[in-house]
Amino acid sequence: MKRRSVLVSGVSLISSAGLGSPREGLAVVKQGLLAGRIPGLSEPDEQGWRTYRRPDEKSGGHGVGWSPIIPYTFSVPQDWEEVPVSIADLGGTEIDLRFGSSKEGKLFVIVAPVLRFSDGLGDNAKIELIGPPDKVINAFGPEVIGENVEGKVISMNVAEHSGRTYYQYELEPPHALITATAAGNRLYLFNVTASGLQWKRHYNDLKRISDSFRVV
């Protein structure tokens, strides 16, 4: 917690965005009380890939007083399926979703309230205000892979889509592709990982999955 406090100390408040519909990419979304897994996959496209969108009705507000989770999307090959999430998992209750393929690998999404890291980020947090790419992966990488990331990060990139910034990392070992961004009052960490053999055979698909992650 000391490292996270230092990381975000001195960050100024940022103003809340205007309200609008989820399709316009703004922060207010409908969220009901329906618990458990809810289908969110599209039909396969011509290449056999499906797009997952977090259902508006899926529960997981992470406590009383938190706003609904802004939906996210990503694409996976047709054989990838949702996997039940356990509170005993690494990341605990903040793991929002798991997917996996016995052939290619697995992924999970962590959605964590930014208030856990700082009380000065407001309700429209930006990943840039949490920190630059190297500080973000050093602070949150261990939460994703379960160990220190020192010496494991082989690439770091910054991408922007629809005005939102995404930090993208490649680590080994373990073989992992991590995407980090922030929206509303939450930090999103998208992790795609695989065994050595899966990584060698299916790297291009794993990279495509990782690059497809977006917060609506």
Side-chain angles (χ1 to χ4, degrees):
M1 290 304 294
K2 288 182 179 178
R3 177 166 56 189
R4 289 170 179 157
S5 297
V6 171
L7 179 60
V8 296
S9 63
V11 175
S12 61
L13 291 172
I14 49 181
S15 60
S16 297
L19 304 184
S21 70
R23 290 189 179 183
E24 296 170 335
L26 300 179
V28 173
V29 297
K30 176 184 176 183
Q31 181 148 336
L33 299 177
L34 186 58
R37 298 194 299 151
I38 302 174
L41 279 170
S42 70
E43 292 297 317
D45 63 16
E46 63 277 4
Q47 295 180 329
W49 284 64
R50 300 186 293 175
T51 297
Y52 176 87
R53 182 188 189 279
R54 189 186 196 277
D56 295 343
E57 297 82 7
K58 182 178 178 179
S59 62
H62 295 306
V64 175
W66 289 104
S67 64
I69 293 175
I70 300 173
Y72 52 80
T73 69
F74 58 86
S75 297
V76 290
Q78 189 169 351
D79 66 324
W80 284 63
E81 298 290 346
E82 187 177 351
V83 177
V85 173
S86 167
I87 61 172
D89 286 337
L90 175 67
T93 59
E94 291 174 352
I95 290 186
D96 189 63
L97 181 76
R98 282 187 179 276
F99 261 70
S101 162
S102 59
K103 181 177 72 172
E104 293 191 325
K106 56 188 177 180
L107 68 82
F108 63 84
V109 185
I110 291 177
V111 183
V114 295
L115 189 59
R116 183 156 71 83
F117 315 114
S118 171
D119 59 2
L121 292 174
D123 291 326
N124 189 24
K126 297 180 180 180
I127 193 71
E128 305 96 309
L129 296 183
I130 295 177
D134 59 334
K135 290 186 177 181
V136 168
I137 192 62
N138 286 330
F140 305 120
E143 188 164 337
V144 177
I145 68 170
E147 57 186 275
N148 195 296
V149 300
E150 185 175 357
K152 301 179 185 296
V153 181
I154 64 174
S155 71
M156 289 188 286
N157 296 293
V158 178
E160 183 176 319
H161 302 284
S162 301
R164 192 182 309 283
T165 300
Y166 297 79
Y167 294 165
Q168 300 172 327
Y169 309 93
E170 183 171 333
L171 285 71
E172 62 176 54
H175 295 293
L177 295 162
I178 300 172
T179 301
T181 192
N185 55 15
R186 288 182 171 80
L187 172 72
Y188 293 74
L189 298 168
F190 183 69
N191 180 50
V192 180
T193 187
S195 68
L197 185 58
Q198 289 171 329
W199 190 263
K200 182 178 180 179
R201 291 180 174 177
H202 304 289
Y203 176 83
N204 289 338
D205 278 357
L206 298 170
K207 186 69 166 63
R208 179 174 170 180
I209 293 169
S210 180
D211 289 347
S212 72
F213 181 75
R214 302 284 188 275
V215 177
V216 176

